[in-house]
Amino acid sequence: MQKLWDISPAVHAGTPVFPGDTPYQQHWCATMAPDCPVNVSAITMSPHVGAHADAPLHYDAQGATIGDVSLDAFLGSCRVVHAIGCGPLITWEHIAHAVNGTLPPRVLVRTYEHMPVDRWDGQLAAYAPDTIERLADLGVLLVGIDTASIDPADSKTLDSHQVIRRRGLRVLEN
């Protein structure tokens, strides 16, 4: 029997977001009281708050929306690779120690000793595009990272996202 692990960090009003992105906000529309039997809230946030899967539409004008993406790539065995303190780009040399011939179809890279949950990290570690190419060559279908992006925060070309697009991979961030 496979065990499912939820690695999602908690989302709250102070959850860091990309500068200029929509932060998490919650507004109570109704609260339990003698004349109201339920609590109901409205939530506003970017789809990039907290742990998230990028929809192909995020980095490809003709890409699929997240609702049209199969969940298969997101469920199943994975390998968590520690590359703590490596960066600014995670290169093959940082993760080669965890590649012992075969890899499961999902690889998650841990770069933080403790992920900042109270502030934005503009110096976040990201994947080198060649690292994603090599993982795809080994049959990996999904790459993940514990930072807000697989590309540097200031990237305008999103080179690693473009490898994901071209190779048909899926991505998890945060």
Side-chain angles (χ1 to χ4, degrees), residues 53-92:
D54 279 351
L57 183 61
H58 178 56
Y59 45 84
D60 178 357
Q62 279 69 52
T65 64
I66 199 65
D68 289 330
V69 172
S70 170
L71 290 177
D72 292 344
F74 300 98
L75 299 172
S77 61
C78 76
R79 179 155 307 148
V80 177
V81 180
H82 285 208
I84 297 170
C86 299
L89 292 177
I90 304 304
T91 64
W92 189 252

Side-chain angles (χ1 to χ4, degrees), residues 49-156:
V49 171
H52 63 276
D54 279 351
L57 183 61
H58 178 56
Y59 45 84
D60 178 357
Q62 279 69 52
T65 64
I66 199 65
D68 289 330
V69 172
S70 170
L71 290 177
D72 292 344
F74 300 98
L75 299 172
S77 61
C78 76
R79 179 155 307 148
V80 177
V81 180
H82 285 208
I84 297 170
C86 299
L89 292 177
I90 304 304
T91 64
W92 189 252
E93 292 73 27
H94 296 127
I95 66 170
H97 68 277
V99 180
N100 53 4
T102 62
L103 278 175
R106 295 152 204 91
V107 172
L108 308 177
V109 173
R110 180 179 179 197
T111 66
Y112 289 119
E113 182 68 38
H114 299 285
M115 181 180 173
V117 295
D118 59 346
R119 63 183 162 72
W120 167 251
D121 179 9
Q123 301 303 308
L124 57 85
Y127 278 98
D130 181 65
T131 303
I132 294 178
E133 292 277 8
R134 290 181 75 170
L135 289 169
D137 289 344
L138 292 172
V140 171
L141 303 174
L142 175 133
V143 297
I145 195 162
D146 60 350
T147 66
S149 180
I150 60 170
D151 278 297
D154 61 354
S155 175
K156 301 300 181 211

Side-chain angles (χ1 to χ4, degrees), residues 48 54-66 68-69 150-151 156-171:
H48 294 99
D54 279 351
L57 183 61
H58 178 56
Y59 45 84
D60 178 357
Q62 279 69 52
T65 64
I66 199 65
D68 289 330
V69 172
I150 60 170
D151 278 297
K156 301 300 181 211
T157 57
L158 300 178
D159 297 336
S160 289
H161 279 86
Q162 293 311 311
V163 174
I164 296 289
R165 177 194 56 76
R166 187 171 37 77
R167 299 295 297 263
L169 275 66
R170 298 293 172 244
V171 61

Side-chain angles (χ1 to χ4, degrees), residues 2-79:
Q2 277 189 338
K3 183 174 183 172
L4 294 179
W5 295 58
D6 181 358
I7 58 171
S8 307
V11 176
H12 52 83
T15 299
V17 297
F18 263 91
D21 208 347
T22 304
Y24 175 91
Q25 298 173 23
Q26 182 178 17
H27 167 75
W28 288 100
C29 304
T31 56
M32 293 177 78
D35 62 338
C36 181
V38 296
N39 288 318
V40 177
S41 67
I43 297 173
T44 304
M45 66 181 192
S46 163
H48 294 99
V49 171
H52 63 276
D54 279 351
L57 183 61
H58 178 56
Y59 45 84
D60 178 357
Q62 279 69 52
T65 64
I66 199 65
D68 289 330
V69 172
S70 170
L71 290 177
D72 292 344
F74 300 98
L75 299 172
S77 61
C78 76
R79 179 155 307 148

